[in-house]
Amino acid sequence: MGRPSNKPQRRAEIVQALMQVMAVKGYDGASIQEIAKQAGLAPGLIHYHFKTKQDILLEAVTQLSDLLKQRYLDLSKSAETAEDKLRLFIKARLAKGEGENQQAVVAWVMIGSEAVRQTEVKKVYLEAMKEQKEVLSELLQDYFQSNHPKGKLSEKQLETKVAFIMSFMEGAFSLSITSPEIMPENWAAEELMENLL
Amino acid sequence: MGRPSNKPQRRAEIVQALMQVMAVKGYDGASIQEIAKQAGLAPGLIHYHFKTKQDILLEAVTQLSDLLKQRYLDLSKSAETAEDKLRLFIKARLAKGEGENQQAVVAWVMIGSEAVRQTEVKKVYLEAMKEQKEVLSELLQDYFQSNHPKGKLSEKQLETKVAFIMSFMEGAFSLSITSPEIMPENWAAEELMENLL
Amino acid sequence: MGRPSNKPQRRAEIVQALMQVMAVKGYDGASIQEIAKQAGLAPGLIHYHFKTKQDILLEAVTQLSDLLKQRYLDLSKSAETAEDKLRLFIKARLAKGEGENQQAVVAWVMIGSEAVRQTEVKKVYLEAMKEQKEVLSELLQDYFQSNHPKGKLSEKQLETKVAFIMSFMEGAFSLSITSPEIMPENWAAEELMENLL
Amino acid sequence: MGRPSNKPQRRAEIVQALMQVMAVKGYDGASIQEIAKQAGLAPGLIHYHFKTKQDILLEAVTQLSDLLKQRYLDLSKSAETAEDKLRLFIKARLAKGEGENQQAVVAWVMIGSEAVRQTEVKKVYLEAMKEQKEVLSELLQDYFQSNHPKGKLSEKQLETKVAFIMSFMEGAFSLSITSPEIMPENWAAEELMENLL
DNA sequence: TATGAATGAGTATTCATTCAT
DNA sequence: GATGAATGAATACTCATTCAT
């Protein structure tokens, strides 16, 4: 009896709409009005599903983080060697996507700068980063164990390499958005592998 | 002859104030009122010196860009070899500064995300990036010419390396702000050299 | 024959919920959503039972008024003399109750200030007051007739005394809520009798 | 140099406007828009002078409290005996005023019910009440000392009497607003003296 | 009867910008 | 140049009420 719930779908739609608008106007520039219009919903409904605008952003962070994770999992099914897996991890994050993917990248960059000043955002952003760091650490350790004569990296070496790769990936995101003119086409993933591994 | 003009100083003060507030609250969060308070000026005076709020931001971009350039020039005076110069360039940008420098980094990250949506900001930001790219290209070319047997890099190789370094530096900025917890201490410059050159 | 109607119970539940929420947040602060939550009902159901929010308030006024009347009737069963009855009337209204009673007092104070601006509320509030006035007048007249040598009070004297008592009771309500710190404990009823009769 | 400050006047104007609107529509019903219109100011200006709407209310409480105090001080200049003073204190509070005074009474009643749910309001309201209580206690003590054979009242007796008078005055305010139909004309002050002293 | 999503007008508050002094 | 008051549009958020199921 009664009207069936559609919260999960609606929430997802709203998160999508936020990211679409945010990709063009930034987080502050994404007004509830415009998010609503983008989603084809009444403004008031946004706040029926999310208590605050920030809550939409927080859900976007986890959603994006999960998207990247999923992208890697999908790709890595076909990978056999440690090297392939590592390569695919990097590719999953850096391959310039079309449409939605491109938008996801922009959204991620924006979220990064929101993390600077919104404590809550920083928390979930950091959580996502830590998760990423762990996966990458493992992959990297596997890779070196199976490909390098000296085998296992020291804790410190590993941490340094991971930070290096993550920095590079984050920066590549950023510059691909803000300064595409100075970036070569389709280069990031392969280049990183070549230089680093 | 009237009061002597103090426009340049006032403008610089206002730009400084913007960056200080922006480092904490972001660009949108930096209200003219607060900028004024930070600068110790009356709100109305801000618009006497700058037509719009965006104009302050634009001046901040060039000011920051010049600051980084100057930092390199100061350091490079003592450099002899191509390798030293390259090393110092990277150091000038990545060395974690205290106080003002730290703030400049945050401001730069914020500006990056403003560049995504404000065309005018993007223009000057890109300009600064191009300038940086040129300097870096030259240094890199010199370095390889004098240190590697095969000598000069191809145009494409060079471009790729430059983009790589710039991406890394941009990302290191970003993560040092948003995710310091996952970054090693004091590592960036040396690590980059070791891995890349 | 369909579902058996439960309108009366539901309505009473909703009125109760309004008073509970109103006691904490005032009338304006008591949103339909919250009233619904307090009553354990769906928001939409509220408007199935009451056309408007104000209607709930109007019903609350009569419900509260009836409650006070009933309280007196229950108490007065055991009263014999005119003095006892009068004493019990005052006690019924002023005795600081626990839980529900306390809440009823707060609700009544809130209703008083709603009466100032909502004509409809004022109407029923006034009705309740008049009823109270009549009961009190009668009791008072009886009391003086049987206890004072000069017997019956003049119309004007009576009216004055009634207004006096009602003012005091209303103010004692109010201050017991807003300024309990400046009010003695458990004093009102006896004190009034002593001073007034 | 520069524009001269007019904050104090403006603030007073805004407080006045709040009380005028509040007298008709209650506190919640007094929107910033309407307060602004009543004061003949732009809505934005209200928040230039007061951080929040509640702040206007808080200032109103102290302003009203001061008004009542002043009213008593003005009247009591001519008073000689303790009895006169006491009489004038009560009169200052209860004498039904015209225009502004009437409005002040309504505003005070409204503030009372806001005090129930707004902690900040309660704080200042209570402060005003305590002040009033102290003045009244002193007057009452003086009165009894000079007029009654047994002299000084016990602490407890005094406290009870004060609470009694304050309750009555508060209730008389309230009913004069919400239920003028059941209240006699111009009666309160004299009646109180007669019954109580 | 009941549920819970949807609507849309309304609210306090912020803020870039302008203006009077 | 400088001050600080004033403007008015924009914004996130609330909420009584309606509606689809």
Side-chain angles (χ1 to χ4, degrees), chain C residues 96 168 171-177 179-188, chain D residues 133 159 163-164 166-167:
Chain C
K96 245 188 188 159
F168 168 74
F173 267 17
S174 216
L175 293 187
S176 76
I177 302 303
S179 319
E181 289 89 337
I182 66 168
M183 304 285 277
E185 304 275 325
N186 299 314
W187 62 288
Chain D
K133 183 185 174 181
E159 206 183 17
F164 191 98
M166 288 180 73
S167 290

Side-chain angles (χ1 to χ4, degrees), chain A residues 35-105:
Chain A
I35 294 169
K37 191 190 287 179
Q38 174 73 33
L41 303 172
L45 193 55
I46 306 287
H47 279 95
Y48 176 74
H49 289 287
F50 289 92
K51 215 168 181 203
T52 66
K53 186 179 158 186
Q54 188 187 249
D55 283 344
I56 317 178
L57 184 61
L58 294 177
E59 189 142 319
V61 180
T62 32
Q63 199 174 106
L64 275 176
S65 171
D66 290 353
L67 175 76
L68 291 177
K69 207 189 310 171
Q70 196 53 50
R71 221 200 276 186
Y72 164 64
L73 289 178
D74 290 348
L75 284 174
S76 68
K77 275 177 195 155
S78 59
E80 301 268 314
T81 68
E83 184 171 347
D84 280 354
K85 280 187 187 163
L86 182 53
R87 208 176 283 277
L88 285 172
F89 178 85
I90 293 167
K91 195 175 164 190
R93 296 194 68 81
L94 287 183
K96 243 186 191 162
E98 304 294 316
E100 275 198 16
N101 273 345
Q102 176 67 13
Q103 194 183 91
V105 170

Side-chain angles (χ1 to χ4, degrees), chain C residues 4-6 10 44:
Chain C
S5 172
N6 56 359
R10 275 280 182 267

